[in-house]
């Protein structure tokens, strides 16, 4: 029996894998410019009486295919034409996500594995 998966289904499946059991290269982890060890399993940072979600931003090429691929990994991602602090160009979308979501670590790593994502920075809303 031959089973064919669409790229979107494959990306969703990959984002659901437990990355703690899968080796992740340093080049992928180095794209994430903030300290993942400071984020709780629930995706929160800060002291126990003041925990909050961490927002992050990254740039992708401004095409429907790239946007669909990112949204297949994280459907809640917000898109902007602003350059953000990351410095997206006119030919890129600024993508903003947050860590207080199920499987936040797996989602971040799946995004960092995308060849066209150069880095993922902490987002400071303005």
């Amino acid at each position: 029996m031959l089973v064919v998966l669409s790229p979107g289904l494959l990306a969703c499946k990959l984002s659901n894998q437990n990355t703690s059991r899968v080796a992740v290269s340093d080049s992928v982890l180095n794209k994430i410019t903030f300290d993942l060890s400071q984020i709780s399993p629930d995706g929160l940072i800060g002291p126990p009486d003041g925990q909050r979600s961490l927002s992050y931003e990254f740039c992708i090429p401004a095409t429907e295919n790239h946007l669909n691929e990112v949204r297949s990994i994280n459907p809640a991602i917000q898109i902007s034409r602003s350059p953000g602090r990351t410095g997206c160009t006119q030919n890129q979308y600024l993508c903003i996500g947050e860590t207080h979501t199920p499987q936040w670590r797996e989602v971040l790593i799946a995004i960092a594995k995308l060849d066209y994502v150069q880095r993922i920075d902490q987002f400071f809303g303005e």
Side-chain angles (χ1 to χ4, degrees):
M1 178 164 130
L2 177 64
V3 177
V4 178
L5 293 176
S6 72
L9 284 176
L10 183 58
C12 286
K13 180 67 177 164
L14 290 175
S15 71
N16 289 331
Q17 292 179 353
N18 183 349
T19 55
S20 63
R21 290 182 282 154
V22 177
V24 179
S25 73
D26 285 343
S27 64
V28 168
L29 290 176
N30 287 338
K31 288 183 180 184
I32 303 169
T33 63
F34 48 90
D35 187 357
L36 295 180
S37 70
Q38 300 299 312
I39 306 170
S40 76
D42 292 328
L44 301 173
I45 61 170
D49 62 344
Q51 290 193 322
R52 61 182 172 75
S53 179
L54 183 141
S55 296
Y56 56 88
E57 67 180 64
F58 57 96
C59 304
I60 63 169
T63 72
E64 201 65 30
N65 288 341
H66 291 99
L67 183 55
N68 289 339
E69 184 172 26
V70 168
R71 285 199 166 141
S72 73
I73 297 169
N74 182 355
I77 210 81
Q78 297 176 8
I79 305 300
S80 174
R81 292 300 288 179
S82 165
R85 290 179 189 239
T86 303
C88 299
T89 67
Q90 291 182 341
N91 298 325
Q92 294 178 312
Y93 290 132
L94 174 67
C95 299
I96 303 168
E98 66 175 84
T99 57
H100 189 51
T101 59
Q103 299 178 324
W104 65 268
R105 182 180 295 271
E106 290 82 0
V107 168
L108 260 174
I109 290 172
I111 291 169
K113 285 182 176 180
L114 297 172
D115 292 339
Y116 51 85
V117 172
Q118 299 303 308
R119 72 178 198 264
I120 304 172
D121 296 330
Q122 186 169 351
F123 173 76
F124 300 95
E126 298 178 11

